[in-house]
Coordinates of all heavy atoms in Angstrom, one line a residue:
A528 N -58.6 -61.3 -77.8 CA -58.4 -60.9 -79.2 C -59.2 -59.6 -79.3 O -60.3 -59.3 -78.8 CB -59.0 -61.9 -80.1
Y529 N -58.6 -58.6 -80.2 CA -59.3 -57.4 -80.5 C -59.0 -57.0 -81.9 O -58.2 -57.6 -82.6 CB -58.7 -56.3 -79.6 CG -58.5 -56.7 -78.1 CD1 -57.4 -57.3 -77.7 CD2 -59.5 -56.3 -77.2 CE1 -57.3 -57.7 -76.3 CE2 -59.4 -56.6 -75.9 CZ -58.2 -57.3 -75.4 OH -58.1 -57.6 -74.1
F530 N -59.7 -55.9 -82.4 CA -59.4 -55.4 -83.7 C -59.0 -53.9 -83.4 O -59.5 -53.2 -82.6 CB -60.6 -55.4 -84.6 CG -61.0 -56.8 -85.1 CD1 -62.1 -57.4 -84.5 CD2 -60.3 -57.3 -86.1 CE1 -62.3 -58.7 -84.9 CE2 -60.6 -58.6 -86.6 CZ -61.7 -59.3 -85.9
N531 N -58.0 -53.5 -84.3 CA -57.6 -52.1 -84.2 C -58.9 -51.2 -84.6 O -59.5 -51.5 -85.5 CB -56.5 -51.8 -85.2 CG -55.8 -50.5 -85.0 OD1 -56.6 -49.5 -85.2 ND2 -54.6 -50.4 -84.7
E532 N -59.1 -50.1 -83.8 CA -60.3 -49.3 -84.0 C -60.2 -48.5 -85.3 O -61.3 -48.1 -85.8 CB -60.4 -48.3 -82.8 CG -60.8 -49.0 -81.5 CD -62.2 -49.6 -81.6 OE1 -63.1 -48.8 -81.7 OE2 -62.3 -50.8 -81.3
K533 N -59.1 -48.3 -85.9 CA -59.0 -47.6 -87.1 C -58.6 -48.5 -88.3 O -59.4 -48.6 -89.3 CB -57.9 -46.5 -87.1 CG -57.7 -45.7 -88.4 CD -56.8 -44.6 -88.3 CE -56.6 -43.9 -89.6 NZ -57.7 -43.3 -90.3
N534 N -57.6 -49.3 -88.1 CA -57.2 -50.3 -89.1 C -57.8 -51.6 -88.8 O -57.2 -52.5 -88.1 CB -55.6 -50.4 -89.1 CG -55.0 -49.1 -89.3 OD1 -55.3 -48.3 -90.2 ND2 -53.8 -48.9 -88.6
T535 N -59.1 -51.8 -89.1 CA -59.9 -52.9 -88.7 C -59.4 -54.2 -89.2 O -59.8 -55.3 -88.7 CB -61.3 -52.7 -89.1 OG1 -61.4 -52.5 -90.5 CG2 -61.8 -51.4 -88.4
S536 N -58.6 -54.2 -90.2 CA -58.0 -55.5 -90.7 C -56.8 -56.0 -89.9 O -56.2 -57.0 -90.2 CB -57.6 -55.4 -92.2 OG -56.6 -54.4 -92.3
Q537 N -56.5 -55.3 -88.9 CA -55.4 -55.6 -87.9 C -56.0 -56.3 -86.7 O -56.8 -55.7 -85.9 CB -54.6 -54.5 -87.5 CG -53.5 -54.7 -86.6 CD -52.8 -53.5 -86.1 OE1 -53.3 -52.8 -85.3 NE2 -51.6 -53.2 -86.6
L538 N -55.7 -57.6 -86.5 CA -56.1 -58.4 -85.4 C -55.1 -58.3 -84.4 O -53.9 -58.5 -84.6 CB -56.4 -59.9 -85.7 CG -56.7 -60.9 -84.7 CD1 -58.2 -60.5 -84.2 CD2 -56.7 -62.3 -85.2
I539 N -55.5 -58.0 -83.2 CA -54.6 -57.8 -82.0 C -54.8 -58.9 -81.0 O -55.9 -59.2 -80.6 CB -54.8 -56.4 -81.3 CG1 -54.7 -55.3 -82.3 CG2 -53.9 -56.3 -80.2 CD1 -55.0 -53.9 -81.8
I540 N -53.7 -59.6 -80.7 CA -53.8 -60.8 -79.7 C -52.9 -60.5 -78.5 O -51.7 -60.2 -78.7 CB -53.4 -62.0 -80.5 CG1 -54.2 -62.3 -81.7 CG2 -53.4 -63.2 -79.6 CD1 -53.7 -63.3 -82.6
T541 N -53.5 -60.8 -77.3 CA -52.7 -60.7 -76.1 C -52.7 -62.1 -75.4 O -53.9 -62.6 -75.2 CB -53.2 -59.7 -75.1 OG1 -53.1 -58.4 -75.7 CG2 -52.4 -59.7 -73.8
Q542 N -51.7 -62.7 -75.2 CA -51.5 -64.0 -74.5 C -51.2 -63.6 -73.0 O -50.3 -62.9 -72.7 CB -50.4 -64.9 -75.1 CG -50.8 -65.2 -76.5 CD -49.6 -66.0 -77.1 OE1 -48.5 -65.5 -77.4 NE2 -49.9 -67.3 -77.4
S543 N -51.8 -64.4 -72.1 CA -51.7 -64.1 -70.6 C -51.9 -62.7 -70.3 O -51.0 -62.0 -69.7 CB -50.4 -64.6 -70.1 OG -50.2 -66.0 -70.4
P544 N -53.0 -62.0 -70.7 CA -53.2 -60.6 -70.4 C -53.1 -60.3 -68.9 O -53.7 -61.0 -68.1 CB -54.6 -60.2 -71.0 CG -55.3 -61.6 -71.0 CD -54.2 -62.7 -71.3
G545 N -52.5 -59.2 -68.6 CA -52.4 -58.8 -67.2 C -51.3 -59.4 -66.3 O -51.0 -59.0 -65.2
M546 N -50.7 -60.5 -66.9 CA -49.6 -61.2 -66.2 C -48.3 -60.6 -66.6 O -48.2 -59.9 -67.6 CB -49.7 -62.7 -66.5 CG -51.0 -63.4 -66.3 SD -51.4 -63.4 -64.5 CE -50.2 -64.5 -63.9
Y547 N -47.4 -60.8 -65.7 CA -46.1 -60.1 -66.0 C -45.4 -60.8 -67.2 O -44.6 -60.2 -67.9 CB -45.1 -60.3 -64.8 CG -43.9 -59.4 -64.9 CD1 -44.0 -58.0 -64.8 CD2 -42.6 -59.9 -65.3 CE1 -42.9 -57.2 -64.9 CE2 -41.6 -59.1 -65.4 CZ -41.6 -57.7 -65.3 OH -40.6 -56.9 -65.4
N548 N -45.7 -62.1 -67.5 CA -45.1 -62.8 -68.7 C -46.0 -62.6 -69.9 O -45.9 -63.4 -70.8 CB -44.9 -64.2 -68.4 CG -46.2 -65.0 -68.1 OD1 -47.2 -64.3 -67.8 ND2 -46.1 -66.3 -68.1
N549 N -46.9 -61.5 -69.9 CA -47.8 -61.4 -71.0 C -47.0 -61.1 -72.4 O -45.9 -60.6 -72.3 CB -48.9 -60.3 -70.7 CG -48.2 -59.0 -70.4 OD1 -47.0 -58.8 -70.5 ND2 -49.0 -58.0 -70.0
E550 N -47.7 -61.4 -73.5 CA -47.1 -61.1 -74.8 C -48.2 -60.6 -75.7 O -49.3 -61.2 -75.6 CB -46.4 -62.3 -75.4 CG -45.1 -62.6 -74.7 CD -44.3 -63.8 -75.3 OE1 -45.0 -64.8 -75.7 OE2 -43.1 -63.7 -75.5
M551 N -47.9 -59.8 -76.6 CA -48.9 -59.2 -77.5 C -48.3 -59.1 -78.9 O -47.1 -58.8 -79.1 CB -49.3 -57.9 -77.0 CG -50.2 -57.1 -78.0 SD -50.6 -55.4 -77.3 CE -51.0 -54.6 -78.9
Y552 N -49.1 -59.4 -79.9 CA -48.7 -59.2 -81.3 C -49.9 -58.9 -82.1 O -51.0 -59.0 -81.7 CB -47.9 -60.4 -81.8 CG -48.7 -61.7 -81.8 CD1 -49.2 -62.2 -83.1 CD2 -48.9 -62.5 -80.7 CE1 -49.9 -63.3 -83.1 CE2 -49.6 -63.6 -80.7 CZ -50.1 -64.1 -82.0 OH -50.9 -65.2 -82.0
V553 N -49.7 -58.5 -83.4 CA -50.8 -58.2 -84.2 C -50.7 -59.0 -85.5 O -49.5 -59.4 -85.9 CB -50.8 -56.6 -84.6 CG1 -50.9 -55.8 -83.4 CG2 -49.6 -56.3 -85.4
V554 N -51.8 -59.2 -86.2 CA -51.8 -60.0 -87.4 C -52.6 -59.2 -88.5 O -53.6 -58.6 -88.2 CB -52.6 -61.3 -87.2 CG1 -52.7 -62.1 -88.5 CG2 -52.0 -62.2 -86.1
N555 N -51.9 -59.1 -89.6 CA -52.5 -58.3 -90.8 C -53.4 -59.3 -91.5 O -52.8 -60.2 -92.1 CB -51.4 -57.7 -91.6 CG -52.0 -57.0 -92.8 OD1 -53.1 -57.0 -93.1 ND2 -51.1 -56.0 -93.2
L556 N -54.7 -59.2 -91.5 CA -55.6 -60.0 -92.1 C -55.6 -60.0 -93.6 O -56.0 -61.0 -94.3 CB -57.0 -59.8 -91.6 CG -57.2 -60.0 -90.0 CD1 -58.7 -59.6 -89.7 CD2 -56.9 -61.4 -89.6
L557 N -55.1 -58.9 -94.1 CA -55.0 -58.8 -95.6 C -53.9 -59.7 -96.2 O -54.0 -60.1 -97.3 CB -54.8 -57.4 -96.0 CG -55.9 -56.3 -95.5 CD1 -55.5 -54.9 -95.9 CD2 -57.2 -56.8 -96.0
N558 N -52.8 -60.0 -95.4 CA -51.8 -60.8 -95.9 C -51.3 -61.8 -95.0 O -50.4 -62.7 -95.3 CB -50.6 -60.0 -96.3 CG -50.0 -59.0 -95.1 OD1 -50.2 -59.4 -94.0 ND2 -49.4 -57.9 -95.5
G559 N -52.0 -62.0 -93.8 CA -51.6 -63.0 -92.9 C -50.4 -62.8 -92.1 O -49.9 -63.7 -91.3
L560 N -49.6 -61.7 -92.3 CA -48.3 -61.5 -91.6 C -48.5 -61.2 -90.1 O -49.4 -60.4 -89.7 CB -47.5 -60.4 -92.3 CG -47.1 -60.7 -93.7 CD1 -46.4 -59.4 -94.3 CD2 -46.2 -61.9 -93.8
E561 N -47.7 -61.7 -89.3 CA -47.7 -61.5 -87.9 C -46.5 -60.6 -87.5 O -45.4 -60.8 -88.0 CB -47.7 -62.8 -87.1 CG -48.9 -63.7 -87.3 CD -48.9 -64.9 -86.5 OE1 -47.9 -65.1 -85.8 OE2 -49.8 -65.8 -86.6
S562 N -46.7 -59.7 -86.5 CA -45.6 -58.9 -86.0 C -44.8 -59.7 -85.0 O -45.2 -60.8 -84.5 CB -46.2 -57.7 -85.3 OG -46.9 -57.9 -84.2
S563 N -43.7 -59.1 -84.5 CA -43.0 -59.6 -83.4 C -43.8 -59.6 -82.1 O -44.6 -58.7 -82.0 CB -41.6 -59.0 -83.2 OG -40.9 -59.1 -84.4
K564 N -43.5 -60.5 -81.2 CA -44.3 -60.5 -79.9 C -43.5 -59.5 -78.9 O -42.3 -59.5 -78.9 CB -44.3 -61.8 -79.3 CG -45.3 -62.8 -80.1 CD -45.4 -64.2 -79.4 CE -46.3 -65.1 -80.2 NZ -46.5 -66.4 -79.5
I565 N -44.3 -58.7 -78.2 CA -43.7 -57.8 -77.3 C -44.4 -58.1 -75.9 O -45.6 -58.3 -75.9 CB -44.0 -56.3 -77.7 CG1 -43.3 -56.0 -79.0 CG2 -43.5 -55.4 -76.6 CD1 -43.5 -54.6 -79.6
R566 N -43.6 -57.9 -74.8 CA -44.1 -58.2 -73.5 C -45.0 -57.1 -73.0 O -44.5 -56.2 -72.3 CB -43.0 -58.6 -72.6 CG -43.5 -59.2 -71.2 CD -42.2 -59.7 -70.5 NE -41.5 -60.8 -71.1 CZ -41.9 -62.0 -71.1 NH1 -43.1 -62.4 -70.5 NH2 -41.2 -63.0 -71.7
T567 N -46.2 -57.1 -73.4 CA -47.2 -56.0 -73.0 C -48.6 -56.6 -73.2 O -48.8 -57.7 -73.8 CB -46.9 -54.8 -73.7 OG1 -47.7 -53.7 -73.2 CG2 -47.2 -54.9 -75.2
S568 N -49.6 -55.8 -72.7 CA -51.0 -56.2 -72.9 C -51.8 -55.0 -73.5 O -51.5 -53.9 -73.2 CB -51.6 -56.5 -71.5 OG -51.1 -57.7 -71.1
Y569 N -52.7 -55.3 -74.5 CA -53.5 -54.4 -75.1 C -54.5 -53.7 -74.2 O -55.1 -54.3 -73.3 CB -54.3 -55.1 -76.3 CG -55.2 -54.2 -77.1 CD1 -54.7 -53.3 -78.1 CD2 -56.6 -54.1 -76.8 CE1 -55.6 -52.5 -78.8 CE2 -57.4 -53.4 -77.5 CZ -57.0 -52.5 -78.5 OH -57.8 -51.6 -79.2
V570 N -54.6 -52.4 -74.3 CA -55.6 -51.6 -73.6 C -56.7 -51.0 -74.5 O -57.8 -51.3 -74.3 CB -54.9 -50.5 -72.8 CG1 -56.0 -49.6 -72.1 CG2 -54.0 -51.0 -71.8
C571 N -56.2 -50.3 -75.6 CA -57.2 -49.6 -76.5 C -56.4 -49.2 -77.7 O -55.2 -49.1 -77.6 CB -58.0 -48.5 -75.8 SG -56.9 -47.2 -75.2
S572 N -57.1 -48.7 -78.7 CA -56.6 -48.1 -79.8 C -57.3 -46.8 -80.3 O -58.5 -46.8 -79.9 CB -56.5 -49.1 -81.0 OG -57.6 -49.7 -81.3
D573 N -56.7 -46.1 -81.0 CA -57.4 -44.7 -81.4 C -58.1 -44.9 -82.7 O -57.5 -45.1 -83.8 CB -56.2 -43.7 -81.5 CG -56.8 -42.3 -81.6 OD1 -57.9 -42.1 -82.0 OD2 -56.1 -41.3 -81.2
P574 N -59.4 -44.6 -82.7 CA -60.1 -44.8 -84.0 C -59.8 -43.6 -85.0 O -60.1 -43.8 -86.2 CB -61.6 -44.7 -83.5 CG -61.6 -44.0 -82.3 CD -60.4 -44.4 -81.6
F575 N -59.2 -42.5 -84.5 CA -58.8 -41.5 -85.4 C -57.4 -41.7 -86.0 O -57.2 -41.4 -87.1 CB -58.8 -40.1 -84.6 CG -60.2 -39.7 -84.3 CD1 -60.8 -40.2 -83.1 CD2 -60.8 -38.8 -85.0 CE1 -62.1 -39.7 -82.7 CE2 -62.2 -38.3 -84.6 CZ -62.8 -38.9 -83.5
T576 N -56.5 -42.2 -85.3 CA -55.0 -42.4 -85.6 C -54.6 -43.8 -85.8 O -53.6 -44.1 -86.5 CB -54.1 -41.7 -84.6 OG1 -54.1 -42.4 -83.4 CG2 -54.6 -40.3 -84.5
G577 N -55.2 -44.7 -85.2 CA -54.8 -46.2 -85.2 C -53.7 -46.4 -84.2 O -53.3 -47.6 -84.1
N578 N -53.1 -45.5 -83.5 CA -52.1 -45.7 -82.5 C -52.7 -46.7 -81.4 O -53.8 -46.6 -81.0 CB -51.7 -44.4 -81.8 CG -50.9 -43.5 -82.8 OD1 -50.3 -44.1 -83.6 ND2 -50.9 -42.3 -82.5
I579 N -51.8 -47.5 -80.9 CA -52.1 -48.6 -79.9 C -51.6 -48.3 -78.5 O -50.4 -48.0 -78.4 CB -51.6 -49.9 -80.5 CG1 -52.2 -50.2 -81.9 CG2 -52.0 -51.1 -79.5 CD1 -51.6 -51.4 -82.5
I580 N -52.5 -48.4 -77.6 CA -52.1 -48.2 -76.1 C -52.0 -49.6 -75.5 O -52.9 -50.4 -75.6 CB -53.1 -47.3 -75.4 CG1 -53.2 -46.0 -76.1 CG2 -52.7 -47.1 -73.9 CD1 -51.9 -45.1 -76.1
T581 N -50.9 -49.8 -74.8 CA -50.7 -51.1 -74.0 C -50.2 -50.8 -72.6 O -49.9 -49.6 -72.4 CB -49.7 -52.0 -74.7 OG1 -48.4 -51.4 -74.6 CG2 -50.1 -52.2 -76.2
N582 N -50.2 -51.8 -71.8 CA -49.5 -51.5 -70.5 C -48.8 -52.8 -70.1 O -49.2 -53.9 -70.5 CB -50.5 -51.1 -69.4 CG -51.3 -52.3 -68.9 OD1 -51.8 -53.1 -69.8 ND2 -51.6 -52.4 -67.6
H583 N -47.7 -52.6 -69.3 CA -46.9 -53.8 -68.9 C -46.6 -53.4 -67.4 O -45.8 -52.4 -67.2 CB -45.7 -54.0 -69.6 CG -44.9 -55.2 -69.2 ND1 -45.4 -56.5 -69.2 CD2 -43.7 -55.2 -68.6 CE1 -44.5 -57.3 -68.7 NE2 -43.4 -56.6 -68.4
G584 N -47.1 -54.1 -66.5 CA -46.9 -53.6 -65.1 C -47.6 -52.3 -64.9 O -48.7 -52.1 -65.1
S585 N -46.7 -51.3 -64.5 CA -47.3 -50.0 -64.2 C -47.0 -49.0 -65.3 O -47.2 -47.8 -65.2 CB -46.7 -49.4 -62.9 OG -45.3 -49.3 -63.0
E586 N -46.5 -49.6 -66.5 CA -46.0 -48.7 -67.5 C -47.1 -48.6 -68.6 O -47.8 -49.6 -69.0 CB -44.8 -49.2 -68.2 CG -43.5 -49.1 -67.3 CD -42.3 -49.5 -68.0 OE1 -42.3 -50.5 -68.7 OE2 -41.3 -48.7 -68.0
C587 N -47.3 -47.4 -69.1 CA -48.2 -47.1 -70.2 C -47.4 -46.9 -71.4 O -46.5 -46.1 -71.4 CB -49.1 -45.9 -70.0 SG -50.1 -45.4 -71.4
I588 N -47.7 -47.7 -72.5 CA -46.8 -47.6 -73.7 C -47.8 -47.4 -74.9 O -48.8 -47.9 -75.0 CB -46.1 -49.0 -73.9 CG1 -45.4 -49.3 -72.6 CG2 -45.1 -48.9 -75.1 CD1 -44.9 -50.8 -72.6
M589 N -47.3 -46.5 -75.8 CA -48.0 -46.3 -77.1 C -47.1 -46.7 -78.2 O -46.0 -46.4 -78.3 CB -48.4 -44.8 -77.2 CG -49.1 -44.5 -78.6 SD -49.4 -42.8 -78.8 CE -51.0 -42.6 -77.9
F590 N -47.8 -47.5 -79.1 CA -47.1 -47.9 -80.4 C -47.8 -47.3 -81.5 O -49.0 -46.9 -81.5 CB -47.2 -49.5 -80.5 CG -46.4 -50.2 -79.4 CD1 -47.0 -50.6 -78.3 CD2 -45.1 -50.5 -79.7 CE1 -46.3 -51.2 -77.2 CE2 -44.4 -51.2 -78.7 CZ -45.0 -51.6 -77.5
D591 N -47.1 -47.3 -82.7 CA -47.7 -46.8 -83.9 C -48.7 -47.8 -84.4 O -48.8 -48.9 -83.9 CB -46.6 -46.6 -85.0 CG -46.0 -47.9 -85.4 OD1 -45.9 -48.8 -84.7 OD2 -45.6 -48.0 -86.6
P592 N -49.5 -47.5 -85.4 CA -50.6 -48.4 -85.9 C -50.1 -49.8 -86.4 O -50.9 -50.7 -86.4 CB -51.2 -47.6 -87.1 CG -51.0 -46.1 -86.7 CD -49.6 -46.2 -86.1

Side-chain angles (χ1 to χ4, degrees):
Y529 313 87
F530 290 101
N531 189 299
E532 291 291 304
K533 179 177 176 61
N534 305 318
T535 59
S536 61
Q537 182 187 70
L538 179 67
I539 302 171
I540 301 169
T541 299
Q542 295 174 293
S543 300
M546 305 296 290
Y547 193 76
N548 63 342
N549 57 4
E550 287 186 316
M551 174 182 154
Y552 64 100
V553 301
V554 179
N555 187 333
L556 298 176
L557 299 179
N558 55 27
L560 294 178
E561 296 183 359
S562 71
S563 301
K564 293 184 179 181
I565 298 177
R566 196 170 292 282
T567 190
S568 293
Y569 176 81
V570 174
C571 59
S572 56
D573 192 335
F575 291 84
T576 66
N578 291 333
I579 301 170
I580 302 298
T581 71
N582 77 319
H583 182 64
S585 61
E586 289 186 314
C587 173
I588 311 166
M589 177 183 277
F590 294 91
D591 70 326

